[in-house]
Amino acid sequence: SSIFFNGAKAERAFRRHVLPGLGMAMPSLCRLPSTSPANAGTGFAQKLERWRLVADDADATRGPLAAPPRTVWPQLQTAGARP
């Protein structure tokens, strides 16, 4: 399965507090740019492009986190997301 994070702080919190107790295979982790206005280093259009790749890949039958994305990971890497 895959987990997407809204910025570095969310990813750090997950790795510190959740990941050690999961007791399952390591999910694919992907940090997306924070949607916070404080993240001024990344423009709105660039944030939207990266987040849209995830949203477009999630369909109503499985939800965004229920199964690994079929096509989004290679596109996110091209768009600059960090695993």
Side-chain angles (χ1 to χ4, degrees), residues 42-63:
T42 304
F44 176 77
Q46 191 176 18
K47 291 178 193 179
L48 181 62
E49 174 190 355
R50 293 182 192 169
W51 277 96
R52 188 169 278 156
L53 291 171
V54 175
D56 288 349
D57 195 64
D59 60 39
T61 61
R62 66 183 177 98

Side-chain angles (χ1 to χ4, degrees), residues 56-81:
D56 288 349
D57 195 64
D59 60 39
T61 61
R62 66 183 177 98
L65 302 179
R70 295 180 295 258
T71 59
V72 71
W73 186 241
Q75 293 171 326
L76 281 170
Q77 287 178 316
T78 301

Side-chain angles (χ1 to χ4, degrees), residues 7-59:
K9 189 172 183 179
E11 180 184 12
R12 279 193 306 270
F14 178 87
R15 286 181 183 273
R16 183 174 183 190
H17 300 290
V18 178
L19 194 59
L22 275 183
M24 60 183 242
M26 175 69 162
S28 172
L29 306 178
C30 180
R31 180 189 326 158
L32 294 162
S34 173
T35 55
S36 168
N39 183 18
T42 304
F44 176 77
Q46 191 176 18
K47 291 178 193 179
L48 181 62
E49 174 190 355
R50 293 182 192 169
W51 277 96
R52 188 169 278 156
L53 291 171
V54 175
D56 288 349
D57 195 64
D59 60 39

